[in-house]
Amino acid sequence: MTLPALYLVDEASGTVTTTGLAAKVTVQYGMAFTALDVDGDGVSDIAVDDTTAGEFILHGPFDGSLSSRDADTILVPPSDSNNRCFVSAGDTDGDGLPGLWIADPRDSSSEYDAGAAWLVEPVSSGGEIVVGEEAIAMLNGPSPQAGAGFSLASGDWNGDGAMDVALGSTWWGAWVALDPSAGTVSLDMAESLRAEGDDSAGYTLTAGDLDGDAQTDLVVGAPTDSVSADRAGAAYVFLGSSLF
Protein backbone atom coordinates (compact mmCIF):
# COMPACT_ATOMS: atom_id res chain seq x y z
CA MET A 1 0.00 0.00 0.00
CA THR A 2 1.29 3.46 -0.91
CA LEU A 3 0.92 5.92 1.95
CA PRO A 4 -0.04 9.58 1.41
CA ALA A 5 2.79 12.06 1.67
CA LEU A 6 3.61 15.75 1.85
CA TYR A 7 6.16 16.60 -0.84
CA LEU A 8 8.55 19.52 -0.33
CA VAL A 9 9.81 21.38 -3.39
CA ASP A 10 12.92 23.59 -3.44
CA GLU A 11 12.50 26.66 -5.70
CA ALA A 12 10.71 24.69 -8.40
CA SER A 13 9.94 25.87 -11.91
CA GLY A 14 8.37 24.01 -14.80
CA THR A 15 7.24 20.41 -14.32
CA VAL A 16 8.24 18.75 -11.06
CA THR A 17 8.08 14.98 -10.48
CA THR A 18 8.18 13.20 -7.14
CA THR A 19 11.66 11.86 -7.92
CA GLY A 20 13.19 15.34 -7.97
CA LEU A 21 11.86 16.71 -4.70
CA ALA A 22 13.83 18.14 -1.79
CA ALA A 23 12.07 15.96 0.79
CA LYS A 24 9.01 13.82 1.47
CA VAL A 25 7.02 13.52 4.71
CA THR A 26 5.09 10.24 4.87
CA VAL A 27 1.76 10.33 6.69
CA GLN A 28 -1.28 8.09 7.07
CA TYR A 29 -4.59 9.85 6.41
CA GLY A 30 -6.38 13.16 6.89
CA MET A 31 -3.28 15.31 6.86
CA ALA A 32 -3.20 19.08 7.31
CA PHE A 33 -0.07 21.20 7.46
CA THR A 34 1.29 24.73 7.64
CA ALA A 35 4.76 26.27 7.35
CA LEU A 36 6.28 28.63 9.91
CA ASP A 37 9.71 29.32 11.39
CA VAL A 38 9.30 28.21 15.02
CA ASP A 39 13.01 28.26 15.89
CA GLY A 40 13.95 31.57 14.27
CA ASP A 41 16.76 30.21 12.09
CA GLY A 42 15.37 31.70 8.90
CA VAL A 43 14.32 28.30 7.53
CA SER A 44 10.67 27.26 7.45
CA ASP A 45 9.49 24.42 9.67
CA ILE A 46 6.21 22.52 9.19
CA ALA A 47 3.39 21.53 11.51
CA VAL A 48 1.68 18.33 10.34
CA ASP A 49 -1.55 16.58 11.30
CA ASP A 50 -1.55 12.81 10.78
CA THR A 51 -4.64 10.94 11.97
CA THR A 52 -2.55 7.93 12.93
CA ALA A 53 0.63 9.51 14.31
CA GLY A 54 -0.96 12.68 15.68
CA GLU A 55 0.25 16.26 15.39
CA PHE A 56 3.92 17.17 15.22
CA ILE A 57 6.41 19.80 14.06
CA LEU A 58 9.44 19.11 11.89
CA HIS A 59 12.27 21.65 11.88
CA GLY A 60 13.78 22.61 8.53
CA PRO A 61 15.87 22.39 6.45
CA PHE A 62 14.47 19.14 5.07
CA ASP A 63 16.18 16.39 3.14
CA GLY A 64 15.19 12.87 2.21
CA SER A 65 12.25 10.90 3.59
CA LEU A 66 10.72 11.98 6.90
CA SER A 67 7.83 10.90 9.12
CA SER A 68 6.45 11.48 12.62
CA ARG A 69 9.44 9.54 13.98
CA ASP A 70 11.61 12.51 12.99
CA ALA A 71 9.45 15.08 14.80
CA ASP A 72 11.18 17.80 16.81
CA THR A 73 7.97 18.76 18.64
CA ILE A 74 4.98 16.56 19.53
CA LEU A 75 1.63 18.33 19.93
CA VAL A 76 -0.66 16.49 22.35
CA PRO A 77 -4.22 17.60 21.46
CA PRO A 78 -7.02 18.16 23.98
CA SER A 79 -9.54 16.07 21.99
CA ASP A 80 -9.52 13.01 19.75
CA SER A 81 -11.49 13.92 16.62
CA ASN A 82 -8.49 13.50 14.27
CA ASN A 83 -9.53 16.40 12.08
CA ARG A 84 -7.35 19.38 12.91
CA CYS A 85 -5.78 22.26 11.03
CA PHE A 86 -3.09 24.84 11.73
CA VAL A 87 -2.15 28.41 10.91
CA SER A 88 0.68 30.66 12.04
CA ALA A 89 -0.39 33.24 14.63
CA GLY A 90 2.51 35.60 14.02
CA ASP A 91 4.60 36.92 16.91
CA THR A 92 2.07 37.18 19.74
CA ASP A 93 4.46 37.68 22.68
CA GLY A 94 7.29 39.81 21.28
CA ASP A 95 9.93 37.07 21.24
CA GLY A 96 10.38 37.28 17.47
CA LEU A 97 8.96 33.77 16.94
CA PRO A 98 5.50 32.83 15.64
CA GLY A 99 2.76 31.25 17.68
CA LEU A 100 0.62 28.46 16.25
CA TRP A 101 -3.17 28.16 16.13
CA ILE A 102 -4.49 24.58 16.26
CA ALA A 103 -8.20 24.06 15.53
CA ASP A 104 -10.55 21.13 15.93
CA PRO A 105 -14.11 21.46 14.53
CA ARG A 106 -15.35 18.50 16.57
CA ASP A 107 -14.19 19.77 19.94
CA SER A 108 -16.94 19.84 22.59
CA SER A 109 -15.19 21.79 25.35
CA SER A 110 -17.93 24.43 25.40
CA GLU A 111 -20.84 22.72 23.61
CA TYR A 112 -21.32 19.56 21.55
CA ASP A 113 -19.24 19.74 18.35
CA ALA A 114 -19.03 23.52 18.67
CA GLY A 115 -15.38 23.44 17.64
CA ALA A 116 -12.44 25.26 19.15
CA ALA A 117 -8.97 26.63 18.49
CA TRP A 118 -5.94 26.94 20.76
CA LEU A 119 -2.93 29.25 20.54
CA VAL A 120 0.38 27.73 21.59
CA GLU A 121 3.96 28.99 21.49
CA PRO A 122 6.22 26.22 20.13
CA VAL A 123 9.72 26.35 21.63
CA SER A 124 12.78 26.32 19.37
CA SER A 125 14.30 23.39 21.24
CA GLY A 126 11.33 21.13 20.48
CA GLY A 127 9.85 18.69 22.97
CA GLU A 128 6.22 18.02 23.85
CA ILE A 129 3.38 20.53 24.04
CA VAL A 130 0.19 19.50 25.85
CA VAL A 131 -2.14 21.83 23.97
CA GLY A 132 -5.01 21.92 26.45
CA GLU A 133 -2.70 22.80 29.35
CA GLU A 134 -0.16 25.05 27.64
CA ALA A 135 -2.40 27.10 25.32
CA ILE A 136 -2.19 30.83 26.00
CA ALA A 137 -5.52 31.51 24.29
CA MET A 138 -8.61 29.50 23.31
CA LEU A 139 -11.55 30.23 21.02
CA ASN A 140 -14.80 28.29 21.48
CA GLY A 141 -17.45 27.76 18.81
CA PRO A 142 -20.61 29.82 19.41
CA SER A 143 -23.20 27.05 19.48
CA PRO A 144 -23.68 23.26 19.39
CA GLN A 145 -22.54 21.66 16.12
CA ALA A 146 -21.16 24.96 14.79
CA GLY A 147 -18.03 23.08 13.72
CA ALA A 148 -15.77 26.12 14.09
CA GLY A 149 -12.19 25.40 13.10
CA PHE A 150 -12.61 23.21 10.02
CA SER A 151 -10.39 25.81 8.35
CA LEU A 152 -8.15 28.62 9.60
CA ALA A 153 -6.56 31.82 8.35
CA SER A 154 -4.68 34.60 10.10
CA GLY A 155 -3.93 38.23 9.33
CA ASP A 156 -4.43 41.80 10.50
CA TRP A 157 -7.97 42.52 9.31
CA ASN A 158 -8.58 45.76 11.19
CA GLY A 159 -5.17 47.30 10.60
CA ASP A 160 -4.16 47.71 14.26
CA GLY A 161 -0.89 45.80 13.92
CA ALA A 162 -2.06 42.77 15.93
CA MET A 163 -2.64 39.36 14.36
CA ASP A 164 -6.26 38.25 14.11
CA VAL A 165 -7.58 34.78 13.28
CA ALA A 166 -10.52 33.47 11.23
CA LEU A 167 -12.18 30.09 11.81
CA GLY A 168 -14.26 28.44 9.11
CA SER A 169 -17.04 25.87 9.28
CA THR A 170 -18.31 23.53 6.57
CA TRP A 171 -21.84 24.91 6.83
CA TRP A 172 -21.95 28.05 8.96
CA GLY A 173 -19.44 30.31 7.24
CA ALA A 174 -16.59 31.95 9.16
CA TRP A 175 -15.83 33.99 12.26
CA VAL A 176 -13.11 36.62 12.59
CA ALA A 177 -11.70 37.13 16.08
CA LEU A 178 -9.63 40.28 16.63
CA ASP A 179 -6.31 39.87 18.49
CA PRO A 180 -7.35 36.82 20.55
CA SER A 181 -3.87 36.43 22.05
CA ALA A 182 -4.85 35.56 25.63
CA GLY A 183 -7.65 33.98 27.63
CA THR A 184 -10.76 32.09 26.52
CA VAL A 185 -13.18 33.75 24.11
CA SER A 186 -16.46 32.57 22.60
CA LEU A 187 -16.91 33.17 18.89
CA ASP A 188 -20.39 34.51 19.51
CA MET A 189 -18.52 37.74 20.25
CA ALA A 190 -16.65 37.62 16.92
CA GLU A 191 -17.52 39.03 13.50
CA SER A 192 -19.62 36.40 11.70
CA LEU A 193 -19.66 35.82 7.94
CA ARG A 194 -22.67 33.58 7.42
CA ALA A 195 -23.02 31.01 4.66
CA GLU A 196 -26.02 31.14 2.31
CA GLY A 197 -28.02 27.95 1.94
CA ASP A 198 -25.86 24.87 1.42
CA ASP A 199 -22.90 26.54 -0.32
CA SER A 200 -20.42 25.16 2.30
CA ALA A 201 -18.86 28.60 2.74
CA GLY A 202 -16.02 28.34 5.24
CA TYR A 203 -14.75 24.98 3.96
CA THR A 204 -11.50 26.76 3.10
CA LEU A 205 -10.03 30.10 4.14
CA THR A 206 -6.99 32.03 3.02
CA ALA A 207 -5.69 35.52 3.64
CA GLY A 208 -3.54 38.10 1.87
CA ASP A 209 -3.39 41.70 0.67
CA LEU A 210 -5.41 41.48 -2.53
CA ASP A 211 -5.86 45.19 -3.24
CA GLY A 212 -2.48 46.59 -2.24
CA ASP A 213 -3.68 48.69 0.70
CA ALA A 214 -1.33 46.97 3.20
CA GLN A 215 -4.34 45.49 5.03
CA THR A 216 -5.14 41.78 5.10
CA ASP A 217 -8.13 40.58 3.09
CA LEU A 218 -10.00 37.30 3.59
CA VAL A 219 -11.07 34.74 0.98
CA VAL A 220 -13.80 32.26 1.96
CA GLY A 221 -14.16 29.13 -0.16
CA ALA A 222 -17.67 27.78 -0.87
CA PRO A 223 -17.19 24.54 -2.86
CA THR A 224 -20.90 23.78 -3.33
CA ASP A 225 -22.04 27.31 -4.22
CA SER A 226 -24.58 27.32 -7.09
CA VAL A 227 -24.59 30.98 -8.18
CA SER A 228 -22.94 30.30 -11.56
CA ALA A 229 -24.01 26.66 -11.99
CA ASP A 230 -25.34 23.85 -9.82
CA ARG A 231 -22.74 23.20 -7.08
CA ALA A 232 -20.00 24.74 -9.24
CA GLY A 233 -18.38 26.39 -6.22
CA ALA A 234 -17.20 29.92 -5.56
CA ALA A 235 -14.81 32.00 -3.50
CA TYR A 236 -15.92 35.13 -1.64
CA VAL A 237 -13.43 37.97 -1.13
CA PHE A 238 -13.84 40.22 1.91
CA LEU A 239 -11.57 43.26 1.91
CA GLY A 240 -10.09 44.03 5.30
CA SER A 241 -11.08 47.66 4.93
CA SER A 242 -14.74 46.64 4.74
CA LEU A 243 -14.81 44.01 7.49
CA PHE A 244 -14.38 46.38 10.45
Side-chain angles (χ1 to χ4, degrees), residues 167 174-178 187-193 242-244:
L167 283 73
W175 300 265
V176 179
L178 298 178
L187 289 175
D188 59 10
M189 304 296 291
E191 180 75 10
S192 177
L193 306 173
S242 66
L243 278 174
F244 298 98

Side-chain angles (χ1 to χ4, degrees), residues 35-45 88 96-98:
L36 69 169
D37 182 10
V38 299
D39 53 9
D41 63 355
V43 179
S44 291
D45 313 308
S88 172
L97 301 176

Side-chain angles (χ1 to χ4, degrees), residues 53-211:
E55 288 71 46
F56 55 92
I57 298 175
L58 295 166
H59 291 180
F62 307 103
D63 183 40
S65 183
L66 304 167
S67 72
S68 60
R69 293 187 296 272
D70 302 295
D72 295 282
T73 302
I74 300 296
L75 301 167
V76 181
S79 55
D80 58 359
S81 75
N82 295 324
N83 187 14
R84 299 179 190 90
C85 59
F86 311 98
V87 73
S88 172
D91 182 8
T92 60
D93 60 0
D95 65 354
L97 301 176
L100 179 68
W101 280 105
I102 305 169
D104 182 348
R106 298 293 303 277
D107 182 82
S108 299
S109 297
S110 59
E111 298 184 84
Y112 177 70
D113 279 359
W118 301 263
L119 174 60
V120 297
E121 291 286 345
V123 293
S124 58
S125 58
E128 183 178 274
I129 297 176
V130 181
V131 174
E133 298 177 4
E134 300 182 47
I136 60 176
M138 180 180 181
L139 295 171
N140 285 318
S143 60
Q145 297 182 305
F150 188 85
S151 56
L152 281 173
S154 62
D156 179 13
W157 282 291
N158 62 348
D160 66 351
M163 190 68 79
D164 312 313
V165 65
L167 283 73
S169 168
T170 57
W171 69 275
W172 180 290
W175 300 265
V176 179
L178 298 178
D179 188 23
S181 57
T184 299
V185 178
S186 173
L187 289 175
D188 59 10
M189 304 296 291
E191 180 75 10
S192 177
L193 306 173
R194 288 299 304 270
E196 296 184 1
D198 61 351
D199 63 1
S200 302
Y203 195 93
T204 57
L205 299 175
T206 193
D209 181 8
L210 303 180
D211 57 358

Side-chain angles (χ1 to χ4, degrees), residues 157 206-219 237 239-241:
W157 282 291
T206 193
D209 181 8
L210 303 180
D211 57 358
D213 65 352
Q215 192 166 335
T216 307
D217 308 311
L218 178 65
V219 182
V237 177
L239 299 179
S241 58

